[in-house]
Structure formats: C-alpha cells, structure tokens
C-alpha cells in the first residue's frame, strides 16, 4: 500500500538524497510518496519534527546528540537512522584577513589545517569572530576542535557565533565576522560575491565527518518499523545513486531549480566534483571527498561518531564526558541500519563503533560479506578517539 | 503586585512590529522592545535580559536564539522554547500563527498565557494579511503575463482579443495546466525567439 511520509529539509546540497529518492523512483519502489517540506531554519526544522509536522527530517549530525544531552531550547528527543552524507563544509575568511595571511606567506593550499590555523591566528591578532550555522552543527564542532588543538594561544576575544547561512556573506561583508564555517553552496557564494576566500575544506580537520543525518522522533522508527525500513531503503538507494561518479552531471541539473535548490547547477557541481574556486581571482583547488554520499559504509551511523560529538559538547558545556559519550551513542541507530538495509544489499561493517581518526588511508576491514574498504578518517592533529575511553 | 514582564519582539518590518506591539500592550502593561536589526541579535537580546522573546517562525534568524539557551551565554537564566512546556492547544495555535516564543524558565503559565494569546492573535492576523498580499500580487502578475501572451497571439495569428484568450484557455485545458502558466511559456518562448 502506498503511504505518504512528510520529510523536512533545508535547501542545501546535502538535502539531495530526499530529492533523488523522490524523483528517480526509489521512494516509489518502496511504496512511498515523499512530501518534501522546506524549513526556514534548523530550529524550525527541529520543531517541525518534534511536533509531528513531519515524520522525518534532514538534520545536523550533532542535533540528536545535543537533544540527548539536554542542550538547546527543545525538550524533544531524536534518533539518527543513518547518515545522509559525510563532509561538505568549508572554512573561509574575509578578504581583509586573507590579504594579511597572504602577505605573511600563507599559500592558501586549501589542505593543511595546521599551517592554515597558525596563519589565521597570527593574522587575526586579539580578536577572531567566526560564524557557524547553528550551535549544534558539525561546522561548530570542527572549528572548536581545530582551534583548540592547534597548541597555540587563542585570541583573547574568540567568538564562535551563530549566523544563519543566508546571512553569512552579508555578515562577512559588514565586518560582523572575520571568518565562517558553512556547508556548500554558501562558501562558494561568499567567493562569488567577492567578500571572502576559502581557507580549508572540513576534511582537512576531520577527513570523514558525519554531516547530516536522517532523523526521526525517538521511538518513531521502532513503532513504525515497516515504514522506517521503507524510508531508509529509499534514501539509501538515493545516496548510492548520488555517489556514483557517472551520475554527477545529472545530479546538478536534477537538483538545481526554484522548487528544489535555488542554486546554479555550476555551483552545485563544484562541491560534487571537489573542484573548488577559492578566491574572486578564480584560483582553483582540488579537494577529494568534499561531499560523500556513498561507498565504504558512508551512511552507516557509527556509534563512535555520535560519541565523539557527545564528548566534544560535554567538554564545551561542562557535562560529564563519559556519560555524554554514552547517551550520545544511543541516539545513533546502527542496529536499525543493519536490520533494514542488509536485505537491500548494503554491505555492513563487523562493528558498530570504531576508533575515530585511526585510518590515515582507505583501509580494508571485516564486513558481513568478507571485507569492505573504509575511507580515511584522520583528524588534523592525528589524535585517535576511543569511544570506550571517551573521558580520556 | 507583580512586576511588568519584559518582552522582546524580533521583527524587521516596522509596520508588522507596530501591530504586534499594539496587540501585546492591549494584553497588559508590559515593557515591549522591538529589535529590527539582525546584527548582533544574540548580544542585544542578552543585554535586555527579557522574560519573553517573540520571533517569526519563518525567520532564519531564529537559529541565533538557540545560543541564548546555552549556559555560557550572558543571560544566566535558562531559556526554553515555550511550545514544549505548555498545553498542546496553545502550541498548535502558535505554530499555525507562525510565531515562536522563547521563555525564561520558571515563568508561571498564568502570566504567560495572556501574552501568548495576544501574540498568536496578532501573528495570525499578519500572516493572513501577508497571504492576501501575496495572492493579490500573484494575480496581478498573472494578469500582466496573460495580457502580453494575448498580444503576442493577436499579432502572430491576426486574431482578436477574445479569440486569443479562448486559444490560451483551450490549450491550458488540453494540457491540464493553468492559463497563466501557458501564457508564461509563450512569453518566455517569444523572448527567446526575438
């Protein structure tokens, strides 16, 4: 029987799995009609999900974790059924800051987080204000992790603040912020308007960072097992299609449009191809894995990813990191991923948690069918996060 | 005698802001301040340290308010979105009216409810006005496009206005589309062929 599911999203490139599931028949194959509902802000989207205005939503990977820790304005609890994508963030700086950094010899290689961090701190001096889309976002986590682990003194006035992405370019132009971390296409927009330059891809800080998740209200997937399975399979097939290199040019055209993503196909293609334009002068930089939808268990919701986010948030907001990592791990649901996607053809890793940051190159690991290749997931400072010793 | 509540309304549009403030004043003697500028929103709200913040549900700047709920913010009293904590009817009414309210923890419901009722009434009215304005604009735009399409058809096929309109209507019905959409397609095509 055909059922309709309401899905909330923010018009960003990583909402792509929903559009592809709907328009290429992956939802239909599961007997689903997807009613896609755009939201004006992350808090509005979270509330739509909490209030039952949508059954599932695209969500920033830290939002279900923050909710589990009792952080934020909402009392609702959520679960992440799978990742929608990994990576996709960029860090950029104002033109003024970029000029100072270039004068000091920084090459804007769009690759080395350590030298970029040192150059940024040196150029910023006593005050550095960085815009991020939401307090609970991978953008915020990456910026905090990066700056705090450079081993350098931080500016006396370091302010990592929320700026809605549609306002990011304006805020940078008006001098309200000196730098930003956003998802594409917003970073490229700042470059296009000539107010900012791109400094780093998020992957330079964490090579494989969970970016957006498919989120539902706590308990929904267990109470609606059949529906949840159908939704997950439709989205998972869409992610697989999105990750296939031969589909890349179709993707940008399918996604660009007033009722889809109000973004030019050419700009969407920059993130998908990993060929980024970093300055108004048109300098290009190649960057692998800019945004990842499939391959190597890319959409598998590792409990260790949630634990890492939980431990980070706990440290920042003064909570017990061990307890936080544990509660965090519970809201990512690899068990449902296994149950619902095994039959659809997903190869599944042998474990549901891993050492985060341990892989410096793509590595073969045990999977249910034998072996699978996991992508590199190193942190820029080569630290390894062990979810079982999260307090350390 | 209880002290007046301090309310911040986040609204860019002056006329909308005035209507909301008027509505709130009718609900009692409260200190109402409007912040229209999005620059430094979190800091400016924190400086006022209000009991209640009201913001349009559709405003992207709502995400900035999330910072106010974090313990490290200058506002020390924790803030929550009211919708989680009150009865379902009020919540639904607020969402339908398009208003979100952030409320300092511990504010008693009997003090809060009249203000929220007033806010909901005003936001609902504003939403209705906005919808009507949009519908009027759209109708005007459609009318303009249809007139241009008629003009094109009259010249190209040497027919009169009524016949041109009839042709548009017939085509729209045959294709299951709106007349305005067919007219738009024709106008776009004519511009491309120029």
């Amino acid at each position: 029987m055909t059922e309709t599911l309401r899905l909330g999203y923010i018009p960003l490139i990583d909402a792509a799995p929903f559009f592809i599931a709907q328009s290429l028949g992956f939802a239909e194959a599961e007997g689903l009609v997807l009613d896609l509902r755009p939201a004006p802000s992350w808090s509005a989207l979270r509330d739509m999900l909490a209030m039952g205005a949508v059954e599932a939503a695209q969500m920033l990977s830290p939002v279900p974790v923050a909710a589990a820790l009792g952080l934020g304005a909402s009392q609702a609890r959520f679960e992440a059924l799978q990742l929608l994508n990994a990576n996709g963030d960029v860090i950029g700086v104002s033109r003024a800051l970029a000029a100072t950094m270039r004068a000091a010899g920084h090459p804007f290689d769009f690759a080395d987080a350590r030298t970029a961090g040192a150059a940024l701190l040196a150029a910023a001096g006593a005050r550095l204000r960085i815009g991020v889309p939401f307090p609970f976002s991978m953008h915020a986590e990456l910026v905090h992790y990066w700056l705090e682990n450079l081993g350098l003194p931080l500016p006396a006035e370091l302010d990592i603040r929320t700026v809605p992405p549609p306002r990011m370019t304006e805020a940078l132009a008006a001098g309200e912020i000196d730098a930003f971390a956003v998802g594409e296409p917003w970073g490229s927009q700042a470059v296009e308007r000539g107010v900012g330059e791109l400094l780093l891809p998020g992957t330079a800080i964490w090579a494989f960072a969970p970016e957006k998740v498919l989120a539902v209200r706590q308990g929904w997937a267990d109470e609606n097992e059949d529906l949840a399975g159908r939704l997950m399979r439709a989205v998972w097939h869409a992610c697989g299609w999105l990750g296939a290199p031969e589909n890349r040019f179709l993707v940008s055209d399918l996604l660009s449009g007033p009722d889809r993503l109000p973004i030019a196909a050419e700009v969407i293609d920059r993130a998908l191809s990993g060929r980024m334009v970093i300055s108004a002068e048109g300098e290009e930089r190649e960057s692998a894995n800019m945004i990842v939808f499939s391959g190597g268990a890319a959409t598998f919701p590792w409990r260790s990813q949630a634990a890492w986010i939980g431990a980070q948030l706990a440290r920042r907001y003064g909570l017990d990191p061990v307890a936080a990592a544990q509660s965090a791990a519970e809201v990512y649901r690899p068990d449902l991923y296994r149950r619902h996607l095994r039959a659809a053809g997903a190869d599944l890793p042998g474990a549901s948690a891993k050492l985060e940051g341990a892989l410096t190159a793509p590595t073969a690991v045990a999977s249910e069918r034998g072996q699978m290749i996991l992508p590199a997931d190193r942190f820029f400072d080569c630290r390894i996060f062990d979810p079982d010793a999260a307090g350390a | 005698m209880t002290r007046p509540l301090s309310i911040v309304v986040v609204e860019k549009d002056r006329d909308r802001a005035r209507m909301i403030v008027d509505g709130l004043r009718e609900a009692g003697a409260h200190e109402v301040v409007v912040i229209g500028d999005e620059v430094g929103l979190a800091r400016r709200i924190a400086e006022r340290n209000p009991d209640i913040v009201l913001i349009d549900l559709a405003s992207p700047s709502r995400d900035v308010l999330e910072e106010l709920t974090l313990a490290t913010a200058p506002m020390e009293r924790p803030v929550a979105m009211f919708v989680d904590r009150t009865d379902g009817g009020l919540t639904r009414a607020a969402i339908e009216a398009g208003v979100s309210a952030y409320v300092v923890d511990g504010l008693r419901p009997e003090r809060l409810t009249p203000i929220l009722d007033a806010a909901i009434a005003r936001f609902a009215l504003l939403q209705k006005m906005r919808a009507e304005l949009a519908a009027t604009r759209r109708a005007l735009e459609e009318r303009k496009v249809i007139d241009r399409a008629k003009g094109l058809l009259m010249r190209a096929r040497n027919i009169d206005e009524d016949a041109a309109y009839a042709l548009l209507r017939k085509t729209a019905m045959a294709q299951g589309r709106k007349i305005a959409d067919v007219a738009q397609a024709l106008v776009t095509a004519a511009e491309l062929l120029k």
Side-chain angles (χ1 to χ4, degrees):
Chain A
M1 196 185 94
T2 299
E3 295 221 36
T4 299
L5 282 180
R6 296 165 300 175
L7 264 58
Y9 71 97
I10 303 271
L12 288 169
I13 291 178
D14 46 31
F18 290 178
F19 290 115
I20 296 301
Q22 183 199 44
S23 57
L24 296 188
F26 296 118
E28 201 184 340
E30 294 289 341
L32 289 179
V33 173
L34 302 183
D35 178 2
L36 301 182
R37 306 275 181 97
S41 67
W42 289 110
S43 36
L45 184 53
R46 176 196 57 197
D47 300 344
M48 282 161 71
L49 187 59
M51 299 298 156
V54 291
E55 279 76 40
Q58 166 208 28
M59 196 57 77
L60 296 155
S61 59
V63 166
V65 173
L69 302 185
L71 295 169
S74 173
Q75 302 282 298
R77 296 286 180 270
F78 308 102
E79 289 172 326
L81 304 182
Q82 65 189 90
L83 265 55
L84 292 175
N85 66 302
N87 307 339
D89 298 344
V90 292
I91 289 168
V93 295
S94 69
R95 293 217 84 179
L97 208 45
T100 313
M101 291 169 73
R102 281 181 195 273
H106 184 66
F108 275 75
D109 57 8
F110 201 60
D112 187 334
R114 195 170 281 284
T115 54
L120 174 65
L121 291 182
R127 187 175 74 172
L128 179 59
R129 299 157 303 171
I130 305 180
V132 295
F134 200 58
F136 314 116
S137 59
M138 189 45 64
H139 319 72
E141 293 314 319
L142 292 177
V143 167
H144 277 282
Y145 185 85
W146 175 44
L147 295 179
E148 285 157 20
N149 291 293
L150 282 168
L152 296 170
L154 294 176
E157 197 185 320
L158 174 64
D159 184 5
I160 297 168
R161 66 170 74 153
T162 304
V163 178
R167 274 206 76 241
M168 203 69 90
T169 299
E170 184 191 330
L172 197 64
E176 288 170 52
I177 51 172
D178 311 298
F180 60 80
V182 283
E184 279 293 280
W186 299 110
S188 289
Q189 190 199 44
V191 173
E192 290 293 295
R193 300 246 173 105
V195 300
E197 298 192 20
L198 300 186
L199 180 62
L200 285 177
T203 50
I205 298 166
W206 189 7
F208 201 83
E211 173 60 28
K212 302 288 170 11
V213 296
L214 175 64
V216 295
R217 281 183 302 286
Q218 188 175 47
W220 183 87
D222 292 309
E223 288 152 23
N224 300 277
E225 205 181 311
D226 171 60
L227 263 183
R230 285 151 74 183
L231 173 62
M232 289 173 72
R233 285 188 294 274
V235 170
W236 181 78
H237 280 297
C239 288
W241 189 90
L242 278 162
E246 65 270 24
N247 295 332
R248 207 188 87 212
F249 289 104
L250 270 175
V251 173
S252 350
D253 285 335
L254 276 173
L255 295 183
S256 179
D259 55 343
R260 296 277 161 107
L261 306 180
I263 304 162
E266 184 267 328
V267 176
I268 294 179
D269 194 57
R270 284 187 203 171
L272 296 175
S273 65
R275 193 168 298 133
M276 303 298 291
V277 177
I278 64 155
S279 69
E281 283 70 41
E283 289 167 273
E284 281 194 18
R285 297 285 184 274
E286 295 267 353
S287 184
N289 299 329
M290 261 305 292
I291 185 162
V292 179
F293 293 102
S294 70
T299 50
F300 189 79
W302 294 92
R303 291 205 191 270
S304 43
Q305 292 172 334
W308 183 84
I309 296 168
Q312 289 277 111
L313 288 173
R315 211 161 295 134
R316 197 147 75 243
Y317 296 113
L319 309 172
D320 173 13
V322 178
Q326 276 167 5
S327 339
E330 285 167 18
V331 297
Y332 275 38
R333 297 293 304 271
D335 56 322
L336 294 179
Y337 191 95
R338 290 178 191 283
R339 187 185 313 160
H340 294 305
L341 297 179
R342 185 179 286 123
D347 194 8
L348 299 160
S352 289
K354 59 184 168 95
L355 295 175
E356 294 294 336
L359 306 181
T360 53
T363 305
V365 298
S367 78
E368 288 191 357
R369 290 199 218 136
Q371 276 200 330
M372 70 192 310
I373 308 281
L374 294 187
D377 67 352
R378 71 184 284 271
F379 292 103
F380 84 97
D381 60 347
C382 301
R383 193 180 292 225
I384 290 171
F385 174 80
D386 179 353
D388 294 328
Chain B
M1 162 93 195
T2 48
R3 66 177 179 86
L5 290 173
S6 153
I7 307 172
V8 164
V9 175
V10 182
E11 175 57 60
K12 252 203 248 182
D13 184 294
R14 280 185 175 202
D15 293 332
R16 282 176 57 86
R18 194 175 309 120
M19 283 190 61
I20 297 162
V21 171
D22 289 349
L24 292 172
R25 293 242 162 86
E26 283 166 22
H30 306 294
E31 291 165 13
V32 187
V33 175
V34 175
I35 300 182
D37 198 347
E38 289 165 334
V39 177
L41 183 60
R43 180 179 45 81
R44 292 169 60 167
I45 292 174
E47 277 167 7
R48 297 217 63 95
N49 199 11
D51 300 295
I52 300 172
V53 182
L54 296 170
I55 184 168
D56 191 331
L57 200 66
S59 167
S61 287
R62 230 196 99 184
D63 280 349
V64 177
L65 271 67
E66 194 74 13
E67 278 181 9
L68 298 176
T69 67
L70 299 167
T72 49
M75 188 149 71
E76 282 168 10
R77 298 175 297 164
V79 177
M81 196 182 54
F82 97 92
V83 285
D84 285 341
R85 314 204 159 192
T86 45
D87 64 286
L90 204 57
T91 297
R92 205 150 298 279
I95 290 178
E96 278 163 14
V99 57
S100 6
Y102 287 79
V103 174
V104 166
D105 221 8
L107 199 61
R108 292 200 316 276
E110 60 270 29
R111 298 207 65 196
L112 188 57
T113 310
I115 293 168
L116 289 175
D117 281 341
I120 287 167
R122 282 298 154 125
F123 272 88
L125 183 65
L126 285 165
Q127 197 175 53
K128 189 161 160 266
M129 286 167 58
R130 188 148 60 178
E132 281 169 4
L133 188 64
T136 311
R137 274 212 193 107
R138 202 163 46 239
L140 267 175
E141 285 301 316
E142 286 183 356
R143 176 59 40 205
K144 262 195 271 180
V145 171
I146 292 170
D147 281 345
R148 285 186 62 193
K150 276 195 297 194
L152 287 167
L153 286 175
M154 285 159 69
R155 274 197 303 281
R157 304 188 53 151
N158 202 15
I159 50 179
D160 68 11
E161 192 178 344
D162 288 342
Y165 187 75
L167 184 57
L168 280 175
R169 194 178 50 204
K170 197 175 132 221
T171 310
M173 281 172 71
Q175 298 185 358
R177 297 161 72 191
K178 285 165 60 185
I179 295 182
D181 293 342
V182 173
Q184 182 64 58
L186 183 63
V187 169
T188 308
E191 274 164 8
L192 285 173
L193 291 171
K194 247 187 233 168

